[in-house]
Amino acid sequence: MPIATAREPIAAAAFTAEQRQYLEGFLAALAHLPFAGHTAGGRITADPHAAPNNLAAPPHEDTYFGTPLSELAKPERWKHEENPLDIWDKILAHAAADKFPDEADAFRFKFFGLFHVAPAQDSFMLRVRIPAGQLTSGQLRGLADLAEEHGGGYAHVTTRANLQLREFRPRSIGEVLTRVQDLGLTSRGAGADNVRNITATPTSGFDAGELLDVRPFAHGLHHYILNQRDLFGLPRKFNVAFDSGGAISAAAATNDLCFTAVRLGAPAMATHSDGTSESVPAGVYFRIQLGGITGHGDFARDAGWLIRPAQAVAVAAAMVRVFSEHGDRTNRKKARLKYLLEKWGMEKFLAETARQLDFRPWPLPAGSVEPRRPVTKHGWLGVHPQRQPGRSYVGVGLSAGHLSAAQMRGLASLAERHGEAELRLTVWQNILLPHVADESVPKLRAELRALGFMLESSPAAGGVISCTGSRGCRYAATDTKAHAAALATALQDRLADLPAPVNIHFTGCPHSCAQHYCGDIGLLGAKLPDGSEGYHIVIGGGMDHEEGIAREIFRSVPAAEIIPLVERILRRYRDLAGEGESFAQWTRRQETERLRKVLT
Ligand code: SF4
């Protein structure tokens, strides 16, 4: 029998009638295979024309914290591709090759506190965590050695009371990280999307007016975070502060989360959401505030909770987890806690937090506790009596937070000879030497002056702080540290007759590391149309009992004109304010245009 080939029509082949009938039936069946598929609504259909959707095997995309990978912001993708906590061998390999990291690894290195800060400096900056700002003389001396042997020979105290050491070559980073840990310190989580250095009132433990020594809570949270792998790699950074109610401001309400010690003067009834009530005895507790980010114009808001101090670390841990799981990982500009609170509302955030806790915080309005006592502006400079009789703490002023290695060693030695080998860093970029016997104060003052430190509080110059600026930060529009130091020097011996002290904050870009919106005078760095450096000037901000966001009064002022302009502003304040009226009070009672005229 002849065989039909693929090129021959079947009809042309010499099949028997029976064979032809079989083949035609077979081919007809092939043209109409029984069909089973899925409609767009998810039902199973036998109609091949019913818009088939392959619902049985839907397209699958991996997610990271519930966000599809394709929607993640770039740093989130980097975190997903390689956990930054697992790159120790990579750091050592870069050190061995004396090589800087690529963009993705430069981001991951920040989880170890290492910042490649090119083009500002083609080197690494190391940020060291100093929980509660508490440092031993041995640690300070060890950091001075590191700064001198491997870095630029200096350090900066930051506005989170960290210490930053600069100008490390890649070949040094393995040894630098190891020696920091040998000193009992760590830089882990000091940068990128982590809980940053835990700050606290720097006079904790010796402040005559404090309600609670908050150091144990700051240290407790520090160690908890460091030992919980899931609390690294948040949607963005997360700042936490503990406020003792003491003399010096911890700038607490500028944090994502702050705990403020308060006194409940009389027993109060707390009513939970399920209608049950509890009597809360009088005593000292923490109130909680959430969502501070002053660069975005917001202070932290009271959450309506009162907790026992011993519950603070647990509450912080729960809140950081809620933020980690639900914060925005697609848009870096909306990834801070403030935006989760805006999306959810405070009530939902607290409900999610409460679900993680095995105890119930007490819902009590802020008005049920005694108000915090006012902070002492510029209380971080000069000599102040401690709670311990016969002892004082001495506030040492630094020039825009700068410390040479020689000054670090000098301070360490003075803390050992005149104190208890302990120092405290403040978020005002200076240092306290505590536990000094009163009779040793005159000698200590003379020795501090010989090291080049400022001790006397000047109402005009005693509160000048600055972010890193263009010498060490790629985002900076201006050399903030140089401009701040020059202004402080110019004002130091002038305008001693101001009605009240003022704070002046220099920040080099809108990230606002020096919180320009909370200064009496805030300066935001800007490139002027001709490419030169200048500042936008905001006026009338404040913190604590003066809390408020400053208003922009001057725009694009050349850097060279800053000193005369600030002097003019302060002279107007001195001449026109009421007796004892603070700068914030004086400026806030004036409408913006009028204030601009008065200050021009
Ligand atoms: Fe850098 Fe901007 Fe922060 Fe200043 S405020 S240190 S310029 S990121």
Side-chain angles (χ1 to χ4, degrees):
M1 185 184 79
I3 307 242
T5 69
R7 293 183 183 182
E8 281 180 299
I10 289 171
F15 291 112
T16 64
E18 189 184 351
Q19 286 171 325
R20 267 203 306 275
Q21 191 178 6
Y22 168 78
L23 282 170
E24 281 164 12
F26 176 73
L27 292 172
L30 276 180
H32 298 288
L33 273 179
F35 179 81
H38 303 85
T39 66
R43 308 187 72 163
I44 299 173
T45 177
D47 177 1
H49 304 295
N53 289 270
N54 188 6
L55 296 186
H60 175 75
E61 183 174 8
D62 282 341
T63 60
Y64 183 59
F65 288 93
T67 303
L69 299 189
S70 60
E71 294 175 23
L72 289 175
K74 195 157 67 167
E76 292 296 328
R77 283 206 293 279
W78 291 331
K79 287 187 281 189
H80 171 70
E81 285 160 13
E82 185 175 16
N83 189 327
L85 296 181
D86 297 334
I87 61 161
W88 178 246
D89 47 357
K90 193 179 263 188
I91 288 174
L92 296 186
H94 278 71
D98 196 19
K99 187 176 94 166
F100 287 111
D102 63 19
E103 189 188 10
D105 282 334
F107 175 77
R108 296 186 186 105
F109 276 32
K110 292 180 189 175
F111 279 60
F112 287 78
L114 280 171
F115 293 68
H116 179 208
V117 292
Q121 291 171 327
D122 196 21
S123 57
F124 281 105
M125 178 271 280
L126 176 76
R127 182 180 294 154
V128 184
R129 302 180 79 114
I130 314 289
Q134 195 173 13
L135 193 66
T136 66
S137 57
Q139 289 170 332
L140 188 59
R141 190 177 285 114
L143 292 175
D145 292 345
L146 262 186
E148 209 162 59
E149 288 171 36
H150 293 281
Y154 62 93
H156 290 139
V157 180
T158 75
T159 51
R160 285 208 68 73
N162 301 280
L163 271 174
Q164 291 184 172
L165 281 59
R166 294 187 161 269
E167 301 183 38
F168 293 117
R169 300 296 308 164
R171 61 178 168 272
S172 301
I173 57 179
E175 182 174 349
V176 166
L177 288 177
T178 307
R179 280 175 56 180
V180 162
Q181 292 178 66
D182 287 345
L183 290 168
L185 295 166
T186 185
S187 55
R188 203 172 162 90
D193 303 338
N194 296 301
V195 181
R196 301 295 185 84
N197 190 39
I198 312 291
T199 59
T201 306
T203 47
S204 290
F206 52 80
D207 190 316
E210 74 184 5
L211 294 176
L212 187 67
D213 179 355
V214 293
R215 285 173 301 162
F217 312 105
H219 283 275
L221 182 58
H222 169 80
H223 288 290
Y224 180 85
I225 297 290
L226 289 180
N227 290 293
Q228 301 292 325
R229 196 174 163 84
D230 72 308
L231 293 185
F232 291 84
L234 309 174
R236 276 299 299 273
K237 70 176 174 181
F238 194 96
N239 293 332
V240 185
F242 290 87
D243 178 353
S244 72
I248 298 182
S249 168
T254 65
N255 287 260
D256 297 278
L257 164 61
C258 68
F259 296 88
T260 301
V262 291
R263 187 189 305 283
L264 182 68
M269 287 304 290
T271 304
H272 295 283
S273 54
D274 62 3
T276 58
S277 293
E278 274 181 88
S279 174
V280 186
V284 171
Y285 299 96
F286 276 131
R287 281 207 80 78
I288 296 168
Q289 290 164 279
L290 289 166
I293 174 169
T294 59
H296 296 212
D298 263 344
F299 286 98
R301 285 181 295 131
D302 190 271
W305 275 3
L306 194 72
I307 59 166
R308 295 183 197 280
Q311 296 170 332
V313 174
V315 168
M319 287 180 164
V320 175
R321 285 206 165 84
V322 172
F323 171 62
S324 179
E325 285 161 20
H326 300 283
D328 190 326
R329 291 181 186 263
T330 65
N331 179 355
R332 302 284 284 175
K333 292 195 173 115
K334 299 283 180 191
R336 293 288 296 273
L337 178 63
K338 162 191 158 97
Y339 295 102
L340 181 59
L341 291 170
E342 278 182 3
K343 185 172 153 201
W344 275 7
M346 183 70 84
E347 207 175 318
K348 179 170 177 185
F349 182 80
L350 295 179
E352 287 295 322
T353 301
R355 275 156 39 98
Q356 305 224 12
L357 298 171
D358 76 343
F359 57 88
R360 298 204 292 178
W362 292 306
L364 271 182
S368 45
V369 298
E370 296 171 6
R372 190 204 190 284
R373 71 171 186 153
V375 295
T376 308
K377 226 162 164 179
H378 297 192
W380 47 81
L381 284 176
V383 182
H384 304 269
Q386 291 189 187
R387 192 174 72 213
Q388 296 81 4
R391 301 277 155 173
S392 293
Y393 62 92
V394 180
V396 181
L398 315 181
S399 178
H402 185 93
L403 276 170
S404 69
Q407 287 176 318
M408 292 161 80
R409 289 200 193 91
L411 280 172
S413 161
L414 292 178
E416 285 161 1
R417 285 193 287 115
H418 295 292
E420 294 179 2
E422 185 195 341
L423 304 102
R424 301 285 179 90
L425 310 186
T426 80
V427 298
W428 303 94
Q429 297 185 301
N430 50 19
I431 295 189
L432 308 184
L433 283 182
H435 315 306
V436 180
D438 290 346
E439 59 272 19
S440 299
V441 167
K443 188 163 180 357
L444 173 62
R445 288 169 67 109
E447 291 180 281
L448 285 168
R449 276 205 203 89
L451 283 170
F453 293 119
M454 177 174 72
L455 297 178
E456 312 312 331
S457 179
S458 147
V464 177
I465 63 170
S466 163
C467 79
T468 296
S470 58
R471 289 193 200 179
C473 175
R474 74 181 67 171
Y475 301 111
T478 53
D479 189 352
T480 52
K481 280 214 184 288
H483 297 146
L487 179 68
T489 302
L491 295 177
Q492 178 61 30
D493 298 319
R494 292 187 222 169
L495 297 157
D497 50 354
L498 289 184
V502 295
N503 292 336
I504 302 174
H505 298 205
F506 281 79
T507 203
C509 81
H511 287 125
S512 194
C513 296
Q515 296 151 339
H516 61 290
Y517 281 124
C518 318
D520 289 297
I521 301 173
L523 299 99
L524 171 62
K527 282 280 179 250
L528 303 188
D530 65 0
S532 63
E533 296 188 0
Y535 288 92
H536 307 315
I537 316 284
V538 297
I539 296 283
M543 297 186 200
D544 304 288
H545 61 282
E546 291 184 334
E547 184 173 298
I549 294 290
R551 289 173 283 172
E552 184 176 290
I553 298 296
F554 298 113
R555 215 168 158 74
S556 303
V557 179
E561 294 174 19
I562 289 300
I563 293 177
L565 174 62
V566 171
E567 276 199 67
R568 187 169 72 235
I569 292 170
L570 294 178
R571 273 201 308 274
R572 297 279 203 282
Y573 163 52
R574 179 194 63 192
D575 297 341
L576 300 175
E579 196 180 332
E581 190 174 30
S582 74
F583 188 85
Q585 289 167 330
W586 177 66
T587 53
R588 286 177 195 170
R589 67 179 163 81
Q590 302 180 62
E591 182 271 321
T592 302
E593 258 324 302
R594 177 175 158 65
L595 184 60
R596 190 171 287 126
K597 270 197 194 123
V598 168
L599 298 178
T600 299

